[in-house]
Amino acid sequence: EGGGVMAAEGPARPGPGALALLGPAPGAPSCPHGPALLFVKTSHGKEGGRRFYACSACRDRKDCNFFQWEDEKVSEMRLAAREEYNRSHQPSFTHRQNVDRYKNFVQLPLSKRRFCQECQQLLLPAEWEKHLDHQFLCDISTAQLKSPSQLLYPLENKKTNAQYLFADRSCQFLLNLLIDLGFRRVLSVGTPRLHEMIQSKASQEEDFSVRSLLLDIDFRYSQFYTEDEFCHYNMFNHYFFGGEAARETCRKFLFEENGERVIMVTDPPFGGLVEALASSFKKLMAMWKETEKEDHDNQEMPMFWIFPYFFESRILDFFPSFSMMDYQVDYDNHALYKHGKTGRRQSPVRIFTNLTPSMIVLPEEEGYRFCTICQRYVSSGNQHCQICNSCTSKDGRRWKHCVLCKKCVKPSWFHCNNCNCCTLQKHSCEKTCVGCFVCGKAGHKRSTCPSLSRT
């Protein structure tokens, strides 16, 4: 979505350096992904320089190059050009039109059901001619229509969509866990595989009572789901593209009737800004609270946030009631995060939740055990440390206690007296002492700093 009018917009942008997110600002300008977010450049944790607006969803300028200084006066002409640009970058069909197209598509005989791979679109016979020189799939079966995440190709630009889809095993585990915990409504935020599994079970099994609403930035799903099943949503700025009607759909879904408990399950892109996500999730939680149930007074909407374990401290900053489970979530199309022998390493992705840890039962046959002292399931390699009095491993390996650091550390780390902390054996002390450019701490580079963008 680069190019267009906006490529030449505005003066020089701030160069590389850490950015602090100042959050969604009232009256913020919009790009095709909804209201932009306000940032400021920081150096060593201190604010410096002008504030500016940038796209909430794309951290890569190639995907959306929206940029505007906060104090910049934008001419009427440029505002009009921007509105035109935003309009021209909206999908060619509305959700309602896509629902009607689907009804027509389903009535076609198999031989006439085509899907254009280049346009990522279900084709009606009248449209074939326009797509003659495109690659397309024929004979689209009902089973394929019920599994759109397999039919659509994953959008893998890591920072915007990062559509790494749950492996079947992990998806099945999540769904069984939700059912065992007594949840009957799942708000699926950026989890199309889970939504799909719930939808397909509901259509096949009469006594299956779980319902799901998918909120996702990928509008392609509107071709397969009605307006009660899918809302086009940006989780970085809590923006419903369908306006008040879509917001109302979400609000209605969160209303618990006949004791149908609601849980939100979300699997954001790992390159996403944690505080932008936390801010949106708090708004969804507030929406749930407003559904005027007396017993919601001091409760939080139950939630599973699926994210890598090295973001633990960041997530707990925003949600002190959350804790991290040991379950390793696996992905189908992710080269690194696959279970067992084929992935280069074990998946670092975990479930963060505000539910009581002892309720989250993890499968023993996949190598999890219950720790009676911690009152939670842990991976079998995660030994209880008597000194820390907890199961301390984060990555499934057995960690070791360092008396000098007063904590458990990775098995491959050793205490370095120069740096006065545990680190890899092969490291150069000078570098570690300098630490990270953003927060000054050792053990990671600027690009992976957990406090990157901390306000």
Side-chain angles (χ1 to χ4, degrees):
E1 289 175 18
V5 192
M6 296 163 66
E9 271 203 25
R13 300 166 166 148
L19 301 180
L21 171 70
L22 300 172
S30 285
C31 71
H33 304 92
L37 295 178
L38 187 59
F39 293 89
V40 64
K41 193 170 170 197
T42 61
S43 172
H44 293 289
K46 289 186 211 36
E47 277 192 28
R50 281 163 86 185
R51 301 164 164 221
F52 62 91
Y53 291 105
C55 175
S56 59
C58 310
R59 285 175 70 185
D60 199 327
R61 286 269 152 74
K62 289 196 289 288
D63 299 317
C64 178
N65 57 12
F66 182 85
F67 179 88
Q68 183 191 312
W69 294 111
E70 184 191 30
D71 53 12
E72 190 183 336
K73 289 275 172 279
V74 183
S75 69
E76 288 298 318
M77 205 173 92
R78 242 178 78 202
L79 279 176
R82 179 183 290 171
E83 284 206 359
E84 181 43 46
Y85 177 88
N86 290 351
R87 229 191 342 270
S88 68
H89 280 70
Q90 290 315 314
S92 44
F93 293 110
T94 64
H95 192 167
R96 176 66 49 83
Q97 286 170 320
N98 272 337
V99 172
D100 289 339
R101 291 167 56 79
Y102 182 83
K103 285 179 189 155
N104 294 333
F105 191 88
V106 181
Q107 286 168 353
L108 295 169
L110 254 188
S111 61
K112 296 209 162 152
R113 290 190 196 172
R114 288 185 183 179
F115 175 78
C116 177
Q117 286 180 295
E118 276 170 62
C119 305
Q120 291 286 289
Q121 194 185 310
L122 297 172
L123 297 183
L124 298 170
E127 299 156 346
W128 288 2
E129 222 169 311
K130 281 191 205 140
H131 299 260
L132 276 180
D133 49 353
H134 293 181
Q135 294 274 325
F136 52 81
L137 297 171
C138 299
D139 303 346
I140 303 296
S141 67
T142 310
Q144 282 173 293
L145 293 173
K146 295 260 181 266
S147 327
S149 73
Q150 319 256 5
L151 189 61
L152 302 166
Y153 63 72
L155 303 167
E156 288 184 5
N157 52 340
K158 290 190 182 50
K159 293 183 177 146
T160 316
N161 302 86
Q163 284 183 334
Y164 298 118
L165 303 163
F166 292 149
D168 211 42
R169 191 181 60 87
S170 288
C171 203
Q172 197 69 63
F173 162 74
L174 275 170
L175 181 52
N176 293 342
L177 178 60
L178 298 176
I179 293 169
D180 293 345
L181 289 168
F183 292 104
R184 290 296 169 262
R185 293 185 184 211
V186 183
L187 184 66
S188 304
V189 183
T191 56
R193 271 276 160 91
L194 180 64
H195 174 72
E196 191 172 288
M197 190 174 269
I198 293 172
Q199 295 290 97
S200 97
K201 279 193 194 294
S203 67
Q204 287 161 9
E205 303 167 21
E206 261 175 46
D207 55 350
F208 188 80
S209 56
V210 182
R211 295 200 296 130
S212 168
L213 171 65
L214 176 64
L215 306 189
D216 203 293
I217 197 165
D218 185 355
F219 190 67
R220 297 177 304 172
Y221 284 107
S222 68
Q223 300 179 81
F224 304 91
Y225 298 123
T226 66
E227 286 142 308
D228 291 336
E229 298 166 332
F230 168 75
C231 295
H232 190 202
Y233 174 78
N234 179 347
M235 66 171 97
F236 291 105
N237 57 3
H238 185 59
Y239 181 67
F240 286 88
F241 292 83
E244 203 36 57
R247 190 178 285 273
E248 195 44 47
T249 299
C250 183
R251 205 177 287 124
K252 273 218 290 270
F253 185 82
L254 294 176
F255 186 82
E256 302 181 351
E257 47 199 353
N258 320 325
E260 293 187 317
R261 292 173 62 215
V262 170
I263 185 167
M264 171 176 151
V265 181
T266 183
D267 180 39
F270 304 150
L273 291 167
V274 175
E275 50 269 64
L277 294 167
S279 155
S280 296
F281 298 163
K282 285 185 169 159
K283 287 174 184 161
L284 288 169
M285 287 171 142
M287 210 187 247
W288 172 82
K289 233 185 172 70
E290 282 160 18
T291 57
E292 41 107 274
K293 269 277 189 277
E294 299 74 52
D295 58 350
H296 284 179
D297 286 349
N298 42 19
Q299 278 188 307
E300 279 182 342
M301 165 162 74
M303 185 165 140
F304 281 171
W305 178 342
I306 293 162
F307 224 53
Y309 70 78
F310 33 85
F311 284 99
E312 182 180 23
S313 62
R314 295 293 287 127
I315 290 178
L316 300 190
D317 279 350
F318 296 103
F319 296 108
S321 63
F322 279 37
S323 47
M324 184 175 86
M325 304 295 98
D326 260 17
Y327 184 78
Q328 295 190 4
V329 180
D330 293 328
Y331 293 82
D332 255 0
N333 54 333
H334 201 300
L336 300 179
Y337 303 162
K338 278 198 181 140
H339 192 70
K341 308 283 182 283
T342 50
R344 273 208 310 227
R345 53 177 107 108
Q346 300 287 305
S347 167
V349 186
R350 301 289 180 268
I351 299 169
F352 292 87
T353 183
N354 49 5
L355 299 176
T356 314
S358 59
M359 294 164 60
I360 313 288
V361 179
L362 303 185
E364 286 179 15
E365 67 279 5
E366 285 181 35
Y368 298 98
R369 62 178 182 86
F370 189 72
C371 173
T372 45
I373 311 170
C374 294
Q375 282 294 296
R376 68 182 184 104
Y377 278 82
V378 294
S379 83
S380 49
N382 191 354
Q383 295 297 315
H384 191 87
C385 170
Q386 302 302 336
I387 309 166
C388 299
N389 193 26
S390 79
C391 293
T392 48
S393 164
K394 308 279 184 202
D395 60 10
R397 297 179 296 172
R398 184 176 185 163
W399 285 22
K400 58 185 185 186
H401 191 84
C402 171
V403 195
L404 297 169
C405 290
K406 298 190 173 66
K407 62 176 185 183
C408 285
V409 296
K410 293 182 177 180
S412 52
W413 285 16
F414 293 89
H415 195 86
C416 168
N417 293 327
N418 280 346
C419 301
N420 196 22
C421 67
C422 281
T423 180
L424 285 166
Q425 202 163 15
K426 287 184 179 159
H427 72 282
S428 50
C429 294
E430 313 82 68
K431 275 188 195 153
T432 342
C433 296
V434 172
C436 161
F437 170 75
V438 180
C439 68
K441 290 185 187 150
H444 60 262
K445 297 197 288 286
R446 180 180 82 196
S447 58
T448 56
C449 177
S451 71
L452 190 60
S453 74
R454 179 183 295 238
T455 334

